[in-house]
Amino acid sequence: MFTDRRIERHQLPYFLKVFNSVTDKPIGFLGNVSADGLMLISQLPMMVGVDFDLRLKIPASDGCQQVIDLTACCLWCHEDETPHHYDAGFSLQRAPPEYGQLVEALTQYFSFQPMPASA
């Protein structure tokens, strides 16, 4: 049986919470991101066709947090495979440059990069 891993596994220490930027209360977790939107995983269904004020709190290496506030419209919502959880897709209305940097950083982190050729 094959047991040697050829690709390093990247284990995330925790899920990135998504907050309501008005109340600062958590509403779910980031499922995935793109330049134009995101998927939210929550314990409650989201209202489709409604704009939400969302907040991401990104941990920094110095122990501080970077806050990214977004306005996004919920395009769809359906029950997740996990019982009592819902997936919702959002289209971003206004995203600051920091969101684009987050998308780029996550894309780089989770992409297979070619190894530099050895001399």
Side-chain angles (χ1 to χ4, degrees), residues 65-109:
Q65 288 184 335
Q66 178 183 12
V67 174
I68 302 174
D69 287 335
L70 310 163
T71 299
C73 181
C74 183
L75 301 177
W76 55 266
C77 183
H78 58 76
E79 195 166 2
D80 188 81
E81 290 181 12
T82 305
H84 310 294
H85 285 83
Y86 297 86
D87 298 336
F90 288 84
S91 173
L92 298 180
Q93 306 297 320
R94 293 182 299 275
E98 294 83 9
Y99 179 79
Q101 294 167 359
L102 171 67
V103 171
E104 180 63 28
L106 290 173
T107 301
Q108 290 290 98
Y109 184 80

Short mmCIF file of all heavy atoms in Angstrom, two decimals, residues 65-109:
data_model
loop_
_atom_site.label_atom_id
_atom_site.label_comp_id
_atom_site.label_asym_id
_atom_site.label_seq_id
_atom_site.Cartn_x
_atom_site.Cartn_y
_atom_site.Cartn_z
N GLN A 65 -5.01 41.88 14.59
CA GLN A 65 -5.98 41.46 13.57
C GLN A 65 -6.13 42.57 12.55
O GLN A 65 -6.15 43.75 12.89
CB GLN A 65 -7.34 41.19 14.18
CG GLN A 65 -7.42 39.93 15.00
CD GLN A 65 -8.83 39.69 15.49
OE1 GLN A 65 -9.63 40.61 15.63
NE2 GLN A 65 -9.14 38.44 15.77
N GLN A 66 -6.26 42.16 11.30
CA GLN A 66 -6.61 43.10 10.24
C GLN A 66 -8.11 42.93 9.98
O GLN A 66 -8.59 41.81 9.80
CB GLN A 66 -5.83 42.80 8.97
CG GLN A 66 -6.21 43.73 7.83
CD GLN A 66 -5.49 43.38 6.54
OE1 GLN A 66 -4.88 42.34 6.42
NE2 GLN A 66 -5.57 44.27 5.58
N VAL A 67 -8.85 44.02 9.97
CA VAL A 67 -10.29 43.99 9.76
C VAL A 67 -10.59 44.39 8.32
O VAL A 67 -10.08 45.41 7.84
CB VAL A 67 -11.01 44.93 10.76
CG1 VAL A 67 -12.49 45.01 10.45
CG2 VAL A 67 -10.78 44.45 12.18
N ILE A 68 -11.40 43.59 7.65
CA ILE A 68 -11.84 43.90 6.29
C ILE A 68 -13.36 43.94 6.29
O ILE A 68 -14.01 42.92 6.55
CB ILE A 68 -11.33 42.84 5.28
CG1 ILE A 68 -9.81 42.75 5.31
CG2 ILE A 68 -11.83 43.18 3.88
CD1 ILE A 68 -9.24 41.63 4.45
N ASP A 69 -13.94 45.10 6.03
CA ASP A 69 -15.40 45.26 5.95
C ASP A 69 -15.84 45.18 4.50
O ASP A 69 -15.21 45.79 3.62
CB ASP A 69 -15.83 46.58 6.57
CG ASP A 69 -15.73 46.57 8.09
OD1 ASP A 69 -15.80 45.48 8.69
OD2 ASP A 69 -15.58 47.65 8.68
N LEU A 70 -16.92 44.44 4.25
CA LEU A 70 -17.44 44.21 2.90
C LEU A 70 -18.95 44.41 2.88
O LEU A 70 -19.62 44.16 3.88
CB LEU A 70 -17.17 42.76 2.47
CG LEU A 70 -15.76 42.22 2.62
CD1 LEU A 70 -15.78 40.70 2.55
CD2 LEU A 70 -14.89 42.78 1.53
N THR A 71 -19.46 44.83 1.75
CA THR A 71 -20.91 44.80 1.50
C THR A 71 -21.13 43.79 0.39
O THR A 71 -20.47 43.86 -0.65
CB THR A 71 -21.43 46.18 1.08
OG1 THR A 71 -21.18 47.10 2.13
CG2 THR A 71 -22.93 46.12 0.82
N ALA A 72 -22.01 42.82 0.65
CA ALA A 72 -22.21 41.74 -0.31
C ALA A 72 -23.68 41.37 -0.38
O ALA A 72 -24.40 41.42 0.62
CB ALA A 72 -21.38 40.52 0.07
N CYS A 73 -24.12 40.98 -1.58
CA CYS A 73 -25.51 40.56 -1.79
C CYS A 73 -25.57 39.04 -1.83
O CYS A 73 -24.79 38.39 -2.55
CB CYS A 73 -26.02 41.13 -3.11
SG CYS A 73 -27.73 40.69 -3.47
N CYS A 74 -26.48 38.47 -1.08
CA CYS A 74 -26.66 37.02 -1.07
C CYS A 74 -27.40 36.60 -2.34
O CYS A 74 -28.52 37.03 -2.59
CB CYS A 74 -27.44 36.58 0.16
SG CYS A 74 -27.62 34.79 0.29
N LEU A 75 -26.74 35.78 -3.17
CA LEU A 75 -27.31 35.33 -4.44
C LEU A 75 -28.05 34.00 -4.32
O LEU A 75 -29.00 33.75 -5.06
CB LEU A 75 -26.21 35.19 -5.48
CG LEU A 75 -25.40 36.45 -5.79
CD1 LEU A 75 -24.30 36.14 -6.78
CD2 LEU A 75 -26.33 37.53 -6.31
N TRP A 76 -27.60 33.15 -3.40
CA TRP A 76 -28.23 31.84 -3.22
C TRP A 76 -27.91 31.31 -1.82
O TRP A 76 -26.96 31.75 -1.19
CB TRP A 76 -27.77 30.84 -4.28
CG TRP A 76 -26.27 30.68 -4.38
CD1 TRP A 76 -25.43 31.35 -5.24
CD2 TRP A 76 -25.44 29.83 -3.60
NE1 TRP A 76 -24.14 30.96 -5.03
CE2 TRP A 76 -24.11 30.02 -4.03
CE3 TRP A 76 -25.67 28.93 -2.57
CZ2 TRP A 76 -23.03 29.33 -3.48
CZ3 TRP A 76 -24.59 28.24 -2.01
CH2 TRP A 76 -23.30 28.44 -2.47
N CYS A 77 -28.73 30.40 -1.38
CA CYS A 77 -28.51 29.76 -0.08
C CYS A 77 -29.17 28.39 -0.12
O CYS A 77 -30.31 28.25 -0.59
CB CYS A 77 -29.11 30.60 1.04
SG CYS A 77 -28.82 29.91 2.70
N HIS A 78 -28.45 27.37 0.33
CA HIS A 78 -29.03 26.03 0.42
C HIS A 78 -28.40 25.27 1.59
O HIS A 78 -27.33 25.64 2.08
CB HIS A 78 -28.88 25.26 -0.89
CG HIS A 78 -27.47 25.08 -1.36
ND1 HIS A 78 -26.60 24.19 -0.81
CD2 HIS A 78 -26.80 25.71 -2.35
CE1 HIS A 78 -25.44 24.27 -1.44
NE2 HIS A 78 -25.53 25.18 -2.37
N GLU A 79 -29.08 24.22 2.01
CA GLU A 79 -28.60 23.44 3.14
C GLU A 79 -27.31 22.72 2.77
O GLU A 79 -27.18 22.18 1.68
CB GLU A 79 -29.68 22.45 3.58
CG GLU A 79 -29.40 21.87 4.95
CD GLU A 79 -30.61 21.16 5.55
OE1 GLU A 79 -31.66 21.10 4.88
OE2 GLU A 79 -30.48 20.69 6.68
N ASP A 80 -26.38 22.73 3.69
CA ASP A 80 -25.09 22.07 3.51
C ASP A 80 -25.26 20.57 3.76
O ASP A 80 -26.29 20.14 4.27
CB ASP A 80 -24.10 22.66 4.53
CG ASP A 80 -22.68 22.19 4.33
OD1 ASP A 80 -22.01 22.75 3.45
OD2 ASP A 80 -22.25 21.27 5.05
N GLU A 81 -24.26 19.79 3.38
CA GLU A 81 -24.29 18.36 3.67
C GLU A 81 -24.25 18.10 5.17
O GLU A 81 -24.77 17.10 5.64
CB GLU A 81 -23.11 17.66 3.00
CG GLU A 81 -23.22 17.61 1.50
CD GLU A 81 -22.04 16.90 0.86
OE1 GLU A 81 -21.25 16.25 1.58
OE2 GLU A 81 -21.91 17.00 -0.36
N THR A 82 -23.62 19.02 5.91
CA THR A 82 -23.59 18.92 7.36
C THR A 82 -24.95 19.34 7.90
O THR A 82 -25.42 20.44 7.58
CB THR A 82 -22.49 19.84 7.94
OG1 THR A 82 -21.25 19.52 7.33
CG2 THR A 82 -22.39 19.69 9.44
N PRO A 83 -25.59 18.51 8.71
CA PRO A 83 -26.90 18.89 9.24
C PRO A 83 -26.86 20.21 10.01
O PRO A 83 -25.88 20.51 10.70
CB PRO A 83 -27.25 17.73 10.19
CG PRO A 83 -26.42 16.59 9.71
CD PRO A 83 -25.16 17.19 9.14
N HIS A 84 -27.90 21.00 9.86
CA HIS A 84 -28.07 22.28 10.55
C HIS A 84 -27.04 23.33 10.13
O HIS A 84 -26.74 24.24 10.89
CB HIS A 84 -28.06 22.10 12.06
CG HIS A 84 -28.98 21.03 12.55
ND1 HIS A 84 -30.34 21.13 12.44
CD2 HIS A 84 -28.73 19.83 13.12
CE1 HIS A 84 -30.90 20.03 12.93
NE2 HIS A 84 -29.93 19.23 13.35
N HIS A 85 -26.50 23.21 8.92
CA HIS A 85 -25.59 24.20 8.36
C HIS A 85 -26.05 24.57 6.96
O HIS A 85 -26.65 23.75 6.26
CB HIS A 85 -24.15 23.67 8.32
CG HIS A 85 -23.50 23.64 9.66
ND1 HIS A 85 -23.68 22.60 10.54
CD2 HIS A 85 -22.67 24.52 10.26
CE1 HIS A 85 -23.00 22.84 11.64
NE2 HIS A 85 -22.37 24.00 11.49
N TYR A 86 -25.77 25.81 6.57
CA TYR A 86 -26.20 26.33 5.28
C TYR A 86 -25.03 26.97 4.55
O TYR A 86 -24.17 27.60 5.17
CB TYR A 86 -27.32 27.36 5.47
CG TYR A 86 -28.55 26.77 6.10
CD1 TYR A 86 -28.66 26.66 7.49
CD2 TYR A 86 -29.58 26.27 5.32
CE1 TYR A 86 -29.77 26.08 8.07
CE2 TYR A 86 -30.70 25.69 5.90
CZ TYR A 86 -30.78 25.60 7.27
OH TYR A 86 -31.88 25.01 7.84
N ASP A 87 -25.01 26.81 3.25
CA ASP A 87 -24.03 27.46 2.39
C ASP A 87 -24.74 28.60 1.68
O ASP A 87 -25.86 28.43 1.19
CB ASP A 87 -23.48 26.50 1.33
CG ASP A 87 -22.75 25.31 1.95
OD1 ASP A 87 -22.28 25.42 3.09
OD2 ASP A 87 -22.64 24.28 1.27
N ALA A 88 -24.09 29.76 1.61
CA ALA A 88 -24.68 30.91 0.93
C ALA A 88 -23.61 31.58 0.08
O ALA A 88 -22.48 31.80 0.53
CB ALA A 88 -25.23 31.91 1.95
N GLY A 89 -23.98 31.89 -1.17
CA GLY A 89 -23.07 32.57 -2.08
C GLY A 89 -23.35 34.06 -2.13
O GLY A 89 -24.51 34.48 -2.23
N PHE A 90 -22.30 34.85 -2.04
CA PHE A 90 -22.42 36.31 -2.01
C PHE A 90 -21.63 36.94 -3.15
O PHE A 90 -20.52 36.52 -3.46
CB PHE A 90 -21.88 36.86 -0.69
CG PHE A 90 -22.75 36.58 0.50
CD1 PHE A 90 -22.66 35.38 1.18
CD2 PHE A 90 -23.66 37.52 0.94
CE1 PHE A 90 -23.45 35.11 2.28
CE2 PHE A 90 -24.47 37.27 2.03
CZ PHE A 90 -24.37 36.06 2.70
N SER A 91 -22.21 37.98 -3.74
CA SER A 91 -21.53 38.80 -4.72
C SER A 91 -21.12 40.09 -4.02
O SER A 91 -21.96 40.74 -3.37
CB SER A 91 -22.47 39.12 -5.88
OG SER A 91 -21.89 40.04 -6.76
N LEU A 92 -19.86 40.46 -4.13
CA LEU A 92 -19.38 41.65 -3.43
C LEU A 92 -19.84 42.92 -4.13
O LEU A 92 -19.77 43.05 -5.34
CB LEU A 92 -17.86 41.64 -3.36
CG LEU A 92 -17.25 40.48 -2.58
CD1 LEU A 92 -15.74 40.58 -2.58
CD2 LEU A 92 -17.77 40.44 -1.16
N GLN A 93 -20.32 43.87 -3.34
CA GLN A 93 -20.75 45.17 -3.85
C GLN A 93 -19.59 46.16 -3.79
O GLN A 93 -19.32 46.86 -4.75
CB GLN A 93 -21.93 45.71 -3.03
CG GLN A 93 -23.09 44.75 -2.93
CD GLN A 93 -23.72 44.43 -4.27
OE1 GLN A 93 -23.86 45.31 -5.10
NE2 GLN A 93 -24.08 43.19 -4.50
N ARG A 94 -18.95 46.23 -2.65
CA ARG A 94 -17.81 47.12 -2.44
C ARG A 94 -16.78 46.34 -1.63
O ARG A 94 -17.05 45.95 -0.50
CB ARG A 94 -18.22 48.36 -1.67
CG ARG A 94 -19.16 49.28 -2.45
CD ARG A 94 -19.51 50.54 -1.66
NE ARG A 94 -20.19 50.27 -0.40
CZ ARG A 94 -21.50 50.10 -0.28
NH1 ARG A 94 -22.27 50.14 -1.34
NH2 ARG A 94 -22.05 49.90 0.90
N ALA A 95 -15.61 46.16 -2.22
CA ALA A 95 -14.55 45.46 -1.51
C ALA A 95 -13.29 46.32 -1.50
O ALA A 95 -12.88 46.82 -2.53
CB ALA A 95 -14.26 44.12 -2.18
N PRO A 96 -12.70 46.50 -0.33
CA PRO A 96 -11.47 47.28 -0.25
C PRO A 96 -10.29 46.51 -0.85
O PRO A 96 -10.37 45.30 -1.04
CB PRO A 96 -11.29 47.51 1.26
CG PRO A 96 -11.96 46.32 1.88
CD PRO A 96 -13.12 46.00 0.97
N PRO A 97 -9.19 47.19 -1.13
CA PRO A 97 -8.01 46.52 -1.69
C PRO A 97 -7.50 45.38 -0.81
O PRO A 97 -6.95 44.40 -1.31
CB PRO A 97 -6.96 47.63 -1.78
CG PRO A 97 -7.74 48.91 -1.76
CD PRO A 97 -9.00 48.64 -1.00
N GLU A 98 -7.71 45.46 0.50
CA GLU A 98 -7.25 44.41 1.41
C GLU A 98 -7.93 43.08 1.12
O GLU A 98 -7.34 42.03 1.33
CB GLU A 98 -7.51 44.81 2.88
CG GLU A 98 -6.71 46.00 3.36
CD GLU A 98 -7.34 47.34 3.00
OE1 GLU A 98 -8.50 47.37 2.51
OE2 GLU A 98 -6.66 48.36 3.19
N TYR A 99 -9.17 43.12 0.63
CA TYR A 99 -9.86 41.88 0.28
C TYR A 99 -9.16 41.21 -0.91
O TYR A 99 -8.96 40.00 -0.91
CB TYR A 99 -11.33 42.13 -0.04
CG TYR A 99 -12.05 40.85 -0.42
CD1 TYR A 99 -12.46 39.94 0.55
CD2 TYR A 99 -12.30 40.54 -1.76
CE1 TYR A 99 -13.09 38.77 0.20
CE2 TYR A 99 -12.94 39.36 -2.11
CZ TYR A 99 -13.33 38.48 -1.13
OH TYR A 99 -13.95 37.31 -1.48
N GLY A 100 -8.78 42.00 -1.90
CA GLY A 100 -8.05 41.46 -3.04
C GLY A 100 -6.73 40.84 -2.61
O GLY A 100 -6.32 39.80 -3.13
N GLN A 101 -6.07 41.46 -1.64
CA GLN A 101 -4.82 40.91 -1.12
C GLN A 101 -5.06 39.59 -0.41
O GLN A 101 -4.26 38.66 -0.51
CB GLN A 101 -4.16 41.92 -0.17
CG GLN A 101 -3.70 43.18 -0.87
CD GLN A 101 -3.34 44.30 0.10
OE1 GLN A 101 -3.45 44.15 1.31
NE2 GLN A 101 -2.92 45.43 -0.44
N LEU A 102 -6.18 39.48 0.33
CA LEU A 102 -6.54 38.23 1.00
C LEU A 102 -6.78 37.13 -0.03
O LEU A 102 -6.29 36.01 0.12
CB LEU A 102 -7.78 38.42 1.87
CG LEU A 102 -8.38 37.13 2.45
CD1 LEU A 102 -7.43 36.49 3.46
CD2 LEU A 102 -9.74 37.43 3.08
N VAL A 103 -7.54 37.43 -1.08
CA VAL A 103 -7.82 36.44 -2.13
C VAL A 103 -6.52 35.97 -2.76
O VAL A 103 -6.31 34.77 -2.95
CB VAL A 103 -8.79 37.02 -3.19
CG1 VAL A 103 -8.92 36.09 -4.38
CG2 VAL A 103 -10.16 37.28 -2.57
N GLU A 104 -5.64 36.90 -3.06
CA GLU A 104 -4.36 36.55 -3.67
C GLU A 104 -3.52 35.69 -2.73
O GLU A 104 -2.92 34.69 -3.14
CB GLU A 104 -3.59 37.82 -4.06
CG GLU A 104 -2.25 37.55 -4.70
CD GLU A 104 -2.33 36.80 -6.02
OE1 GLU A 104 -3.35 36.91 -6.73
OE2 GLU A 104 -1.37 36.08 -6.33
N ALA A 105 -3.47 36.05 -1.45
CA ALA A 105 -2.69 35.28 -0.48
C ALA A 105 -3.24 33.86 -0.33
O ALA A 105 -2.47 32.90 -0.30
CB ALA A 105 -2.69 35.99 0.87
N LEU A 106 -4.57 33.71 -0.27
CA LEU A 106 -5.16 32.38 -0.15
C LEU A 106 -4.95 31.56 -1.42
O LEU A 106 -4.69 30.36 -1.36
CB LEU A 106 -6.66 32.49 0.17
CG LEU A 106 -6.99 33.00 1.57
CD1 LEU A 106 -8.49 33.24 1.72
CD2 LEU A 106 -6.49 32.03 2.63
N THR A 107 -5.04 32.21 -2.58
CA THR A 107 -4.79 31.52 -3.84
C THR A 107 -3.36 31.00 -3.89
O THR A 107 -3.13 29.85 -4.26
CB THR A 107 -5.06 32.46 -5.03
OG1 THR A 107 -6.42 32.91 -4.96
CG2 THR A 107 -4.83 31.76 -6.36
N GLN A 108 -2.41 31.83 -3.50
CA GLN A 108 -1.01 31.41 -3.48
C GLN A 108 -0.80 30.26 -2.49
O GLN A 108 -0.12 29.30 -2.79
CB GLN A 108 -0.09 32.57 -3.11
CG GLN A 108 0.02 33.64 -4.17
CD GLN A 108 0.79 33.13 -5.37
OE1 GLN A 108 0.20 32.71 -6.35
NE2 GLN A 108 2.09 33.14 -5.28
N TYR A 109 -1.40 30.38 -1.32
CA TYR A 109 -1.20 29.39 -0.26
C TYR A 109 -1.73 28.02 -0.66
O TYR A 109 -1.12 27.00 -0.37
CB TYR A 109 -1.88 29.87 1.03
CG TYR A 109 -1.65 28.95 2.20
CD1 TYR A 109 -0.46 29.00 2.91
CD2 TYR A 109 -2.62 28.05 2.59
CE1 TYR A 109 -0.23 28.16 3.98
CE2 TYR A 109 -2.40 27.20 3.68
CZ TYR A 109 -1.21 27.26 4.36
OH TYR A 109 -1.01 26.42 5.43
#
